[in-house]
Amino acid sequence: MRQRLGYFALPLLMAAFTTQACADGETIAVFTKNQTNPFFQTVRVGADNMAKTLNAKTLQYIPTKPDSIPEQLSQIEDVVVKKPSAIVFTPVDYKAMVPGVEKINDAKIPVINITDRSAGGKFLSFIGADDYSLGLETGRFLLKTLGGKGNIVIIEGVKGSLTNVDRVRGFNDALKETPGAKLLASQPGNYQRLQALQVMENLMQSNSQIDGVLAANDAMAVGAIEALDGANRKAQVIGINGTKEAIDAIKSGKLLASGDYNGFAQGCLGTMMAIRSLRNEPVISEIVLKPTVITKDNYKPFDVPLEQRTCPTWDEASKLGGK
Amino acid sequence: MTDITKEALSPPRSFLSQDAIQLFYRLLAALLICATLSFLTDSFLSLGNILNVLRQASLTFFIASGLTLVVLTAGLDLSVGANVALSACLAGTVIHHTGSPMLGILTGLACGGTVGLLNGIMVTALRIPSFIATYGMLWVLNGLSYWYMAGETIHGFPAGFRQIGSGYLFGLPIPVYLLLIFLAIGTLFAQRTIWGQEIYAIGANPVAARLSGIPVVRRLLLVYAVSGTMAGLASIIFLSRLNSAEADIGESLTLPAIAAVLIGGTSLFGGVGTVFGTFIGALILTLVLNGMNLLSVSANWQPLVTGVIVILAVWLDMKTRRRAQ
């Protein structure tokens, strides 16, 4: 008897959820890469914020295992069956997810690409930040602060990941522009705090003078700072992402700067374009947000809780580096 | 416990027993790596670097030491890394809200221990194979920490608390003292107590162990709870060393801990191995990574080299043991 009740309850429960989701305005399925990187939390809050303003709803799809390719693929399969009004999509892997995007295309669901540019598939528009210029601009800022000279180490993210390749290329180009600076080592921290800390501890053993650290994300930058503090040494450290932790570290003078990856704006704009296309309003086919180097002089607008931030308006969006 | 079983349980462990010989090989391997590295780099043999290696090895060792006991009973605890993550997140929250490091430490240890005990209950009362039970637990713990942290990090802890992971006492990092203490406790417990010997006996032959009156269920519960509590301890060291808690640290901690146990010569089939071996295992892993960083070896080679070492260690182990039998 109990079991039979369960058979009834399950579809009822599911029906209740689906009708609720469709009851009011459009449903936008938002795909992000993981639940662990604070960056994607800002994307999700941005998307929710914009959907609320436009009287639509979001459904969040996040792989339970961070950046899992098979999991995102099966989430796409589920979503295609469920048929949301539109999809805002961050591929967990820009190449491997192409078949998934094609599935969405075949199902004729409009899809917007954000953050990592997919290697294939048809998208209504692309919203992202430019990792290369983030690396270049933060690198330039560090070298300018150091007066154009000094010993530098790079702590890289996950080898071969799109963000890391471009950021590190930007770092290296900034170094090439500065003949007085010397690159001592470029070692991986896999975007992990602990690994970055240990790499930094090890590098400090073989290099008695390190003046600057270019880390490909904030968690690694903060890890490097912990290592420096532990050894009572000083160096200027740069991170990327503009997380809350990085802003706090900039405020307290421990971190020199962080490149803003603009997750909040990406979430806002991706959702905005999705809803506008559904309402037959014009969309911008590509926005590559300009990098902002967050320093102790300009951190104030970033030191605001996510919930209190406001999304850019359509007029502002059209001025944000669109094509 | 009667005297008869006590006697039956203490195996003839002469100084040059199987374990001692295995340990000797491992020490030799560690020394060989040290010699090579000091030859190849100027900075390896500096005091600072040696303390570095010990401090870095300590985190892996704390997790791996408890795990060693589990593996000795022919079990496996795949949830240790995720346990560290959840314990760190909870302990971090408590310290943040109450400002009391002591409460935070207790929270971390309690969370770790509780998770371990639940693993033990699944393995004993529900008779789920440990591999599956703890793998399931890994997902549960990840889910809880991801949900709880919602993509945020908790950071910034009191300076006093930071001393545990980053401080020094008479020129030695504090984690190194903890390492020595737990190495001693672990070794004495496994080698010199009845409970320790019973754990070996359970791993060697659970049926025989039960028939000879060993309370197998209670010992297994103890072993999993200890493994979880050590993960809780590691979470405290992690917090105070990195000054921040995040949900996704688990994945990068579990496999090195398992690797340390295996490189250290503890058999996955149970009954064979030592806590000291695990310490050497953690040391070898750390030395290799430290050396590759000092030599600026490309990132791509680091996991590859680690993998080869694990395979080699286990293969050599099985080979020498087979010959000895």
Side-chain angles (χ1 to χ4, degrees), chain A residues 35-38 41 64-66 159 187-188 192-195 197-199 201-202 205-206 226 245 248, chain B residues 43 46 48-49 52 55-56 139 146 150-151 155 162 241-244 246 248 251 290 293-294 296 299:
Chain A
Q35 288 183 66
T36 52
N37 185 342
Q41 182 65 6
T64 53
K65 185 176 182 304
K159 278 265 180 190
Q187 289 287 307
Q192 299 261 356
R193 190 183 304 266
L194 176 67
Q195 288 180 30
L197 175 134
Q198 297 187 342
V199 164
E201 283 179 347
N202 294 340
Q205 294 303 325
S206 43
E226 294 304 332
E245 186 176 17
D248 288 349
Chain B
S43 37
S46 65
N49 192 53
N52 247 348
R55 188 166 54 179
Q56 292 178 5
W139 286 85
Y146 293 166
H155 60 275
R162 299 292 317 283
R241 189 149 137 72
L242 281 125
N243 202 15
S244 100
E246 51 193 340
D248 65 341
E251 214 177 346
N290 174 268
N293 279 326
L294 292 184
S296 294

Side-chain angles (χ1 to χ4, degrees), chain A residues 230-242:
Chain A
N232 263 325
R233 283 170 63 165
K234 290 254 176 301
Q236 299 285 9
V237 183
I238 289 276
I240 289 181
N241 271 357

